[in-house]
Amino acid sequence: MGQLQDRMIEDLTLRGSAPGTTSAYVRYARAFVAFHRRSPTELGEEHVRAWLLHLLKEKGRSQRTVNVHIAALRVLFTVTLRRPEVMEHVRSVRTPHHQPDIPSGQQVRALLDAAPSLKHRAMFMLLYGAGLRVSEMLALTTADVDSARMVLHIRDTKNRHDRIVPLPPPALDAMRAYWKEECPKGPVLFPGRGGRETLTRETVQKVVSHAARKAGISKRVYPHLLRHAFATHMLELGGDIRTVQILLGHRSLQSTARYTHLTEA
């Protein structure tokens, strides 16, 4: 894509897109162009439809993944190429809505006990005890931990709004035990191996899945499920939905309200 790629990166930057979003959108736009082997200035709606059908039918991509591809192409054509008519009749793919299978409190405790190291136990306790997103947990630095006030400062969130969340004492104890054992260098709370600044999402996913199997949990367990469990268990204990919304960093109360359907009767 050459200069168009640079222009698309600039457009996304000016829109305030996160680096990860920018990288994904550009990658998907390049894949679309490579599929047709033609300049994007020569491509239209029929080419977009052919690409999306290829992703769904031949590649077996999920509806959610295909919708990200659509969002990337919408930026490419509407913003960068200034050809909004190409995407005018392209709609997002309807996605099935599956309610997460929330682990019980006992299963969460078993998962924590199955953590392979003090570092991973501290990570699990932050994902569950503070209801953090994986990206928020991985971005934590020592400066974000206020042990005097027992709070965490969550910065550069998905919704671009910093927030303060309570730091559970057991999570602080777990972090201190991990820090004392490993003595990590640098400000990042959970640095990766081999000189990487932070761990990757894939690494966190693998560790959580492995710990779940070790704990004998048969349901699918993934890092974001611990955030779901945090919200659901808080509501089950009588927590106020508005408070849960603030702690999770949701813009809309509707996003938080879905957890009321997951609580046990």
Side-chain angles (χ1 to χ4, degrees):
M1 288 172 58
Q3 292 182 344
L4 275 178
Q5 175 176 311
D6 295 338
R7 180 65 181 268
M8 186 174 179
I9 293 174
E10 291 176 355
D11 289 335
L12 287 164
T13 301
L14 291 173
R15 287 161 61 96
S17 297
T21 300
T22 298
S23 177
Y25 279 22
V26 171
R27 185 171 66 253
Y28 290 162
R30 291 184 62 180
F32 165 69
V33 172
F35 176 74
H36 288 292
R37 299 183 181 181
R38 293 167 63 180
S39 168
T41 59
E42 302 174 3
L43 302 176
E45 181 183 344
E46 68 276 14
H47 300 99
V48 172
R49 289 172 57 86
W51 170 239
L52 298 178
L53 289 171
H54 170 74
L55 291 174
L56 286 167
K57 294 185 175 182
E58 297 182 33
K59 290 294 185 179
R61 299 292 188 261
S62 70
Q63 293 94 332
R64 293 184 185 279
T65 298
V66 172
N67 283 338
V68 180
H69 281 264
I70 293 174
L73 295 182
R74 186 162 282 119
V75 172
L76 173 64
F77 283 105
T78 303
V79 182
T80 302
L81 292 174
R82 298 180 182 178
R83 297 174 58 204
E85 69 280 0
V86 173
M87 301 298 294
E88 183 178 359
H89 301 293
V90 178
R91 298 290 179 263
S92 298
V93 183
R94 182 176 296 179
T95 58
H97 182 70
H98 300 296
Q99 296 284 20
D101 191 1
I102 302 298
S104 65
Q106 184 177 359
Q107 289 175 322
V108 172
R109 286 191 293 272
L111 181 71
L112 295 175
D113 292 339
S117 70
L118 292 176
K119 178 179 183 177
H120 296 119
R121 181 179 175 85
M123 291 164 52
F124 293 0
M125 294 189 78
L126 286 173
L127 291 171
Y128 173 71
L132 303 187
R133 300 179 176 93
V134 177
S135 59
E136 295 169 348
M137 183 267 294
L138 292 178
L140 284 174
T141 67
T142 53
D144 298 327
V145 182
D146 188 341
S147 58
R149 296 171 57 208
M150 292 302 292
V151 297
L152 293 170
H153 193 160
I154 311 302
R155 311 174 195 273
D156 298 326
T157 68
K158 177 181 178 182
N159 294 326
R160 300 304 177 88
H161 292 291
D162 292 2
R163 70 183 191 277
I164 303 294
V165 301
L167 172 60
L172 177 61
D173 292 342
M175 285 192 293
R176 283 175 169 167
Y178 145 62
W179 204 260
K180 182 177 180 180
E181 180 183 72
E182 297 196 17
C183 300
K185 299 178 182 179
V188 177
L189 198 58
F190 299 109
R193 291 182 179 180
R196 292 198 308 271
E197 185 176 353
T198 64
L199 290 171
T200 64
R201 290 171 175 268
E202 292 74 17
T203 297
V204 179
Q205 173 67 65
K206 290 178 181 178
V207 173
V208 169
S209 297
H210 175 76
R213 290 193 297 269
K214 183 179 177 182
I217 303 174
S218 58
K219 65 182 66 176
R220 177 172 174 260
V221 180
Y222 46 94
H224 203 72
L225 187 65
L226 296 177
R227 176 174 158 91
H228 291 323
F230 161 81
T232 303
H233 292 169
M234 177 169 269
L235 290 172
E236 287 179 345
L237 292 173
D240 176 76
I241 189 170
R242 172 60 179 161
T243 300
V244 175
Q245 177 193 3
I246 294 172
L247 293 178
L248 291 176
H250 286 160
R251 285 195 221 176
S252 169
L253 189 63
Q254 186 176 2
S255 298
T256 314
R258 64 175 176 158
Y259 292 109
T260 60
H261 301 294
L262 302 177
T263 56
E264 295 181 356

